[in-house]
Amino acid sequence: MTTIVTGGAGFIGSNFIFYMLKKHPEERIICVDKLTYAGNLSTLASVMDNPNFRFVKADICDESAIDQLFVEEHPDVVVNFAAESHVDRSIKDPNIFLQTNIMGTANLMNVARKYGVQRFHQVSTDEVYGDLPLDRPDLFFTEETPIHTSSPYSSSKAAADLLVLAYHRTYGLPVTISRCSNNYGSYQFPEKLIPLMFIDATENRPLPVYGEGLNVRDWLYVEDHCQAIDLILQNGRVGEVYNIGGHNEMRNIDIVKIICQTLGKPESLIEHVTDRKGHDRRYAIDPTKIHNELGWLPETNFKDGIAETLKWYQDNQDWWQQIINGDYQKYYEKMYANR
Ligand code: NAD
Ligand code: DAU
């Protein structure tokens, strides 16, 4: 079995590669990543010499590079994590989001159709459902919730989802889609809430909370997301969407306070800054379908997961320092200059 994992030098993709190489050591994993600012090849250092792993630097929008890879590797499965993933960047500059998230997904599916695959899995997000009001804790996103996006990022992911479903209906491409809530864990790029606040607090800088900090996110430990995708690949029904989330809703301000407490930093570092434009209020996933059909339940509770995550950032200062000083972008040249 050969699986192409796109975006595997990013946060969730890298955790998925580690998960799969450990769980299914007999399977071959090919990571395709363009190494944008969010891709960090040094994250994959521990698996680079694994004979069942190959890294290919390529853009998912590059038809001939993806075609060539299919000719070389005859993949059985494609799991598409590659995306521009940061909402704030999409608000500043939407175009690259449309290019990678929509056109890149279409390009991958065109090649997958040409050669045939057993499964094309699209890693999507709960943000395609828009948001829920803060005063209706009884409401959750199900797979039937209408698509209703807020940001250029979520709109580009929703467009990709619709294309994926269209390729199934029109061409019979064997697809599945997962829509997950906010992930946290090791190797998350420090533009996202938890690593950003960890680093700022560590360095005694102000902690920029958007607005009042009352927006709610439904946090899931990244390994639980990886396990859910693995189950969908094994037993998920083709043509179906699966929501992934662990009923762990937290207000942003409370997350930031936990980080302050854990690091022994004063809450006076918290600074309320201008709110994000179009800021989604609350995300909350109803994971009944994946639980009932595939038996999935999250294994890591938030208390343990956040402690583990913050410890990881404390123990892996080199990893995030290299991002802050830009050295991580030289890693590819170092590793591949003579290959
Ligand atoms: P990330 O930004 O950490 O990683 C994205 C990776 O994709 C990077 O390695 C980057 O180099 C690569 N990439 C970007 N454009 C590419 C291109 N054109 N060709 C090849 N590679 C390219 O993102 P993440 O947080 O790991 O998210 C991964 C996927 O999961 C995304 O599709 C995102 O929408 C989805 N998702 C994320 C979350 C979350 O909480 N982070 C939750 C649900 C779904
Ligand atoms: O729900 C899944 C989504 O979660 C994924 O699809 C996205 O790829 C991922 O980035 C994440 O989106 P969010 O916008 O929820 O994540 P972010 O870490 O950017 O922000 C989390 C919350 O924290 C959000 O309400 C905005 C707030 N925030 C964020 C930053 C970076 C702040 O208050 N201050 C900040 O500096």
Side-chain angles (χ1 to χ4, degrees):
M1 173 77 85
T2 297
T3 300
I4 287 185
V5 175
T6 69
F11 165 45
I12 309 175
S14 60
N15 276 283
F16 182 72
I17 288 170
F18 301 145
Y19 180 92
M20 293 297 278
L21 287 172
K22 199 165 159 198
K23 183 90 192 289
H24 306 285
E26 70 293 350
E27 293 181 15
R28 184 165 162 74
I29 301 278
I30 317 295
C31 172
V32 175
D33 200 297
K34 184 183 174 185
L35 298 181
T36 67
Y37 80 93
N40 184 346
L41 193 57
S42 76
T43 297
L44 295 171
S46 65
V47 296
M48 286 306 244
D49 292 329
N50 183 321
N52 273 345
F53 177 75
R54 178 182 172 198
F55 177 79
V56 177
K57 184 177 184 218
D59 186 335
I60 58 165
C61 302
D62 181 341
E63 189 184 338
S64 68
I66 301 299
D67 193 291
Q68 175 65 29
L69 189 62
F70 270 68
V71 171
E72 286 170 22
E73 296 287 353
H74 310 290
D76 305 288
V77 172
V78 176
V79 184
N80 183 27
F81 289 92
E84 289 292 333
S85 69
H86 192 39
V87 173
D88 292 323
R89 286 180 188 258
S90 82
I91 294 167
K92 275 210 156 39
D93 184 8
N95 286 2
I96 185 68
F97 284 74
L98 312 185
Q99 180 64 19
T100 290
N101 299 1
I102 305 173
M103 298 309 293
T105 301
N107 186 48
L108 283 173
M109 289 194 295
N110 288 337
V111 182
R113 263 187 74 206
K114 180 174 168 188
Y115 293 101
V117 287
Q118 286 172 24
R119 182 71 64 81
F120 182 95
H121 182 76
Q122 176 72 358
V123 180
S124 187
T125 168
D126 60 358
E127 296 201 17
V128 302
Y129 300 121
D131 66 351
L132 296 164
L134 291 174
D135 60 356
R136 289 292 307 273
D138 54 314
L139 297 180
F140 296 91
F141 297 138
T142 73
E143 290 79 0
E144 308 308 320
T145 302
I147 300 287
H148 186 84
T149 55
S150 310
S151 69
Y153 162 70
S154 54
S155 304
S156 68
K157 293 293 290 185
D161 281 14
L162 295 177
L163 270 178
V164 170
L165 294 173
Y167 272 57
H168 173 61
R169 167 111 187 219
T170 305
Y171 305 119
L173 190 69
V175 307
T176 39
I177 296 178
S178 52
R179 295 181 178 148
C180 190
S181 57
N182 284 63
N183 284 212
Y184 67 99
S186 52
Y187 298 109
Q188 186 167 31
F189 196 81
E191 64 189 350
K192 306 283 167 61
L193 181 74
I194 290 177
L196 181 132
M197 295 296 173
F198 169 87
I199 293 173
D200 283 349
T202 300
E203 303 195 334
N204 300 309
R205 287 200 297 263
L207 307 177
V209 170
Y210 298 165
E212 292 301 305
L214 302 180
N215 303 59
V216 170
R217 298 291 182 264
D218 184 358
W219 293 93
L220 184 74
Y221 195 53
V222 65
E223 280 177 22
D224 284 321
H225 185 184
C226 296
Q227 190 195 29
I229 294 174
D230 185 25
L231 282 175
I232 294 169
L233 292 177
Q234 289 177 52
N235 300 320
R237 285 183 296 137
V238 160
E240 293 292 316
V241 173
Y242 292 91
N243 283 355
I244 308 172
H247 283 304
N248 181 54
E249 293 177 48
M250 306 272 300
R251 300 186 312 177
N252 295 339
I253 190 72
D254 297 326
I255 298 260
V256 177
K257 285 181 179 171
I258 289 174
I259 294 173
C260 288
Q261 249 165 33
T262 309
L263 302 187
K265 300 290 177 176
E267 289 179 8
S268 57
L269 284 175
I270 294 174
E271 192 172 281
H272 291 275
V273 299
T274 310
D275 210 348
R276 175 183 277 173
K277 286 190 173 74
H279 199 170
D280 281 338
R281 293 160 296 176
R282 170 175 168 251
Y283 302 145
I285 284 276
D286 175 353
T288 305
K289 179 174 174 179
I290 191 167
H291 176 60
N292 287 349
E293 281 192 21
L294 305 179
W296 178 85
L297 274 179
E299 287 179 0
T300 301
N301 67 45
F302 188 73
K303 192 165 169 281
D304 294 343
I306 192 71
E308 187 84 9
T309 300
L310 296 177
K311 183 168 182 326
W312 186 88
Y313 280 94
Q314 276 170 328
D315 293 347
N316 289 275
Q317 190 149 344
D318 281 359
W319 183 85
W320 53 265
Q321 284 292 1
Q322 287 193 358
I323 291 176
I324 289 172
N325 67 28
D327 278 353
Y328 76 111
Q329 286 175 317
K330 298 180 191 139
Y331 190 84
Y332 180 79
E333 278 67 37
K334 206 170 88 191
M335 291 301 289
Y336 281 81
N338 300 314
R339 285 194 185 199

